[in-house]
């Protein structure tokens, strides 16, 4: 299956705001998590098939401190303390990928800040079937 990208500005946000003041984002903006533990962004992801999927988060962190988040799928913890290290500037965007098991159909994928700094600025989440990528050509 082709990867599908979900924009953070279209997700459900608790204790965060959609902003567009740092260039380089995709879509119409990004989510700035409030600087506190527990702020979250929740993406409604559709999986055509159950099984292992890759989650690729595009983010910026203009500080030098890691901004880890916990990841839950339909309320179940699946990744603890996923790291979002400093990217050098709020306008410098990088990706972090982790693999999780998804159910067929809708999956609520929530990323919740675990420190008082909140999460990174969150641009998007791209979901693919894990290992689906074709091998490099000759
Ligand atoms: C700055 C930056 C925001 C960022 C915030 C933070 O205010 O402009 O985009 O979200 O720092 O530390 O979280």
């Amino acid at each position: 299956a082709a990867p599908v990208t979900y924009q953070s500005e279209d997700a459900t946000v608790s204790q965060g705001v959609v902003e567009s003041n740092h260039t380089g984002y995709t879509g119409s903006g990004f989510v700035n998590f409030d600087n506190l533990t527990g702020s979250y962004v929740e993406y409604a992801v559709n999986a055509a098939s159950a099984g292992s999927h890759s989650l690729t988060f595009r983010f910026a962190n203009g500080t030098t401190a890691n901004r880890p988040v916990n990841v839950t799928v339909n309320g179940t913890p699946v990744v603890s303390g996923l790291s979002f290290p400093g990217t050098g500037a709020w306008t410098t965007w990088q990706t972090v990928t982790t693999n999780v098991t998804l159910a067929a159909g809708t999956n609520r994928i929530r990323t919740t800040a675990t420190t008082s700094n909140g999460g990174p600025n969150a641009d998007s989440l791209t979901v693919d079937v894990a290992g689906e990528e074709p091998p490099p050509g000759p």
Side-chain angles (χ1 to χ4, degrees):
V4 178
T5 296
Y6 299 85
Q7 292 294 332
S8 300
E9 61 270 26
D10 298 330
T12 299
V13 178
S14 175
Q15 299 182 107
V17 287
V18 174
E19 293 181 338
S20 56
N21 57 327
H22 299 298
T23 56
Y25 55 82
T26 61
S28 58
F30 55 86
V31 170
N32 170 354
F33 286 75
D34 288 355
N35 299 117
L36 46 80
T37 299
S39 48
Y40 71 76
V41 179
E42 182 178 283
Y43 305 86
V45 166
N46 184 65
S49 59
S52 185
H53 288 69
S54 59
L55 307 183
T56 298
F57 296 96
R58 189 167 190 266
F59 73 101
N61 177 357
T63 77
T64 55
N66 184 22
R67 298 252 179 131
V69 306
N70 289 338
V71 182
T72 62
V73 176
N74 295 326
T76 300
V78 293
V79 184
S80 181
L82 183 65
S83 287
F84 291 89
T87 59
W90 291 111
T91 51
T92 300
W93 302 83
Q94 296 180 355
T95 59
V96 161
T97 299
T98 190
N99 285 355
V100 302
T101 298
L102 298 182
T106 301
N107 295 260
R108 292 176 291 105
I109 298 180
R110 183 182 296 193
T111 57
T112 303
T114 67
T115 76
S116 58
N117 289 326
N121 285 353
D123 183 35
S124 65
L125 165 61
T126 298
V127 181
D128 202 354
V129 174
E132 181 89 338
E133 300 78 12

